[in-house]
Amino acid sequence: MKQFSHLGRGLLLAASAALWLAPQAGRAQSLDLVAAYRQALQYDPTIQAAGQALAAGRELAVQGDALLKPRVNLQAGVSRIHEHMDSELPGPAAGLLPSDSSGTARQATVQLVQPLYQQGARATRRQLHEQSALAGTRYDGEREQLVLRVAEVYLGVVVAQEALRVEQAELAAVRQQRDRAQARFEVGHGKITEVHEAQARLDAVRARLLTAQSQLELSQARFSETVGSAPQQLAPMADGFAPRLPEPASLAAWQARGEAGNTLVRSQRSALDIAGAELDKNSLKARPTIDLVASYGAKNQSGGLSALVAPNGERNASIGLQLNVPLYAGGGLDSRQREAVARRAEAEQQLAAARRDVRLKVQEGYLAVTTGVARVAALEQALLSARSALQATTLGRDVGTRTALDVLDAEQRVASAERELVQARADYLLGRLRLSAAAGELSEESLRALGPWFAS
């Protein structure tokens, strides 16, 4: 009864997995890595936030340019005035200043200011342009991270599907061995220990099958959360999987490319330039500034107001140079300059640390690719050997030189080799992408370059 219960659960698991995989096989078009990445670009909230940060960063360059452009201000006012004088003035003056008067006074002035000599503003402009460039670099970094995330979740589903297929095949093979051992025992040609051992192996495979199904569901959920759609049909890895060494096959060359193009190094280099501009800005704040100032104003009034209180029809225009010389600011300028010197030294050390980290990341990715080539080749050979051993062991069992347990061990080695091989292939592909990311060259084209390693 217990064996029948195990068998029923195994058939249910296999049937549910077959129902899931059946629609996939019937589809003609597979979702490749590039298509998944393009979907993620439209869905992923992290890249959407990075896009908004990029848009905001571009405005900093506009703000920097505005510092050296003309500024035009309009100042206007309207006042209601009621005037009463208790003292009486002599006759001629009484006409100019009546004892009681009221009316509305209006005035407007337009002023134009054009910076002529503003070294501090020029340093601020350069700083804002560097901050705008930094926003672009950070966006490039987020896009590279999205490429990696899409590749990781995509390959995660592909590996989980393959692992489930391997467990299903192993389950069918072990169940067949268990049934064969049971039949041999019932006719008196086998041992009960072989039946129990086969049943134990079958239970272990069922447990691994449940784990594989759970891992597949989790991988599918990660894919959906990253890409924005369910992994209905993903392109599996090609049968003729032929890994290649990185080009150029030189670690030093890749490290040089990383130090030049990695987004982390570029970000820290921009941060250093920003700190340098901040130092220049604070050192130039004590310098004089010269502006061209032009203005035009008009005043008028309605009512009986005196011309001395509210002129009527008055017009004035002026143009000239305005000099501003900072003399003393309480020591704040010197303090900010010392702070800027320290910040710049901090940025220099952070840039050195970034270059060090990038060299290590490049080496890690380079070794992942180079060792991945050898690892895939070794595991392919191991799988061929395991399959040959299984055939020989099965033949030996049939002629009586091997036991059913030997066949079970051989089948387990084949399944293990298949799982390790598909994982090694996925690790190799991720290693290529991580190497490109460390060199600052990861893009949609990098995903397209992986096409030959996937079945079309």
Side-chain angles (χ1 to χ4, degrees):
M1 191 69 178
K2 180 178 179 182
Q3 293 178 356
F4 178 81
S5 176
H6 285 316
L7 179 60
R9 285 200 301 269
L11 290 174
L12 181 60
L13 291 174
S16 62
L19 287 174
W20 187 89
L21 291 172
Q24 320 307 320
R27 297 181 184 268
Q29 186 65 31
S30 298
L31 180 68
D32 60 13
L33 272 168
V34 175
Y37 169 68
R38 290 178 177 174
Q39 287 187 21
L41 274 177
Q42 304 299 322
Y43 172 79
D44 185 71
T46 302
I47 198 64
Q48 296 297 321
Q52 296 302 317
L54 176 62
R58 286 172 175 167
E59 297 302 323
L60 295 177
V62 179
Q63 297 167 22
D65 293 337
L67 294 175
L68 302 179
K69 292 181 179 180
R71 300 188 302 273
V72 180
N73 300 317
L74 170 64
Q75 183 181 21
V78 178
S79 302
R80 180 66 181 174
I81 301 174
H82 177 74
E83 183 183 23
H84 174 74
M85 295 185 62
D86 292 333
S87 61
E88 293 185 1
L89 298 175
L96 294 175
L97 295 172
S99 60
D100 281 295
S101 63
S102 62
T104 302
R106 293 175 290 273
Q107 63 85 23
T109 302
V110 177
Q111 184 184 60
L112 179 143
V113 179
Q114 170 62 59
L116 297 180
Y117 183 78
Q118 290 269 5
Q119 296 303 311
R122 293 183 183 278
T124 303
R125 175 181 178 273
R126 181 165 68 89
Q127 185 181 50
L128 290 172
H129 273 266
E130 289 295 340
Q131 290 175 345
S132 181
L134 177 59
T137 302
R138 286 174 174 170
Y139 180 74
D140 292 342
E142 289 295 340
R143 287 192 65 151
E144 288 183 349
Q145 290 302 312
L146 180 62
V147 171
L148 282 178
R149 290 202 306 274
V150 170
E152 287 171 355
V153 298
Y154 190 102
L155 289 170
V157 174
V158 171
V159 171
Q161 287 176 346
E162 184 65 16
L164 180 60
R165 183 199 64 78
V166 170
E167 296 300 344
Q168 289 171 340
E170 186 178 7
L171 179 69
V174 174
R175 181 185 293 114
Q176 183 180 17
Q177 295 298 325
R178 193 278 315 271
D179 294 343
R180 188 176 187 280
Q182 181 70 36
R184 285 175 56 82
F185 173 73
E186 290 176 353
V187 297
H189 294 294
K191 301 177 181 179
I192 190 60
T193 54
E194 293 182 348
V195 177
H196 291 328
E197 179 66 22
Q199 183 62 49
R201 297 288 182 92
L202 184 62
D203 293 339
V205 173
R206 287 197 184 106
R208 289 199 298 271
L209 181 61
L210 288 173
T211 302
Q213 287 179 319
S214 299
Q215 184 60 44
L216 177 59
E217 291 177 4
L218 181 58
S219 299
Q220 290 171 332
R222 289 171 177 166
F223 183 95
S224 299
E225 290 296 330
T226 303
V227 177
S229 64
Q232 296 297 328
Q233 174 71 0
L234 305 186
M237 282 179 277
D239 292 334
F241 193 95
R244 300 192 303 266
L245 291 173
E247 298 176 2
S250 168
L251 176 59
W254 280 99
Q255 288 178 327
R257 289 160 70 168
E259 290 192 46
N262 183 273
T263 53
L264 177 60
V265 173
R266 288 163 52 200
S267 296
Q268 292 301 330
R269 193 178 294 122
S270 293
L272 177 59
D273 292 338
I274 292 170
E278 180 70 16
L279 178 60
D280 294 342
K281 182 175 68 174
N282 285 289
S283 63
L284 294 171
K285 277 186 177 179
R287 289 193 179 184
T289 61
I290 300 176
D291 297 326
L292 173 67
V293 181
S295 65
Y296 177 82
K299 297 180 181 179
N300 58 58
Q301 56 112 332
S302 61
L305 293 172
S306 167
L308 298 178
V309 175
N312 188 25
E314 180 180 300
R315 302 288 185 271
N316 62 78
S318 66
I319 185 170
L321 298 177
Q322 179 176 297
L323 173 67
N324 181 29
V325 182
L327 297 178
Y328 181 68
L333 292 178
D334 292 338
S335 176
R336 283 193 287 270
Q337 187 170 2
R338 291 192 298 269
E339 178 189 0
V341 170
R343 295 295 185 191
R344 190 179 189 282
E346 177 189 12
E348 288 176 345
Q349 297 304 317
Q350 288 177 340
L351 176 58
R355 286 172 171 163
R356 175 203 62 199
D357 294 342
V358 165
R359 288 194 297 269
L360 292 175
K361 286 183 178 179
V362 169
Q363 184 172 4
E364 180 182 357
Y366 185 85
L367 292 176
V369 177
T370 54
T371 59
V373 173
R375 182 183 174 204
V376 169
L379 288 173
E380 287 176 345
Q381 183 60 47
L383 179 58
L384 289 176
S385 300
R387 286 172 175 170
S388 298
L390 174 60
Q391 293 177 354
T393 304
T394 303
L395 181 60
R397 180 205 59 193
D398 294 339
V399 298
T401 58
R402 292 296 186 93
T403 65
L405 298 182
D406 295 331
V407 175
L408 290 174
D409 290 336
E411 289 173 344
Q412 187 174 7
R413 285 192 292 271
V414 170
S416 178
E418 289 179 340
R419 287 192 298 267
E420 291 182 11
L421 177 58
V422 70
Q423 186 62 58
R425 288 173 171 175
D427 292 343
Y428 166 78
L429 296 179
L430 287 175
R432 291 186 66 93
L433 295 179
R434 288 169 181 154
L435 177 59
S436 297
E441 301 172 357
L442 187 61
S443 64
E444 180 180 317
E445 187 60 33
S446 303
L447 295 178
R448 189 174 288 106
L450 299 184
W453 286 292
F454 286 90
S456 58

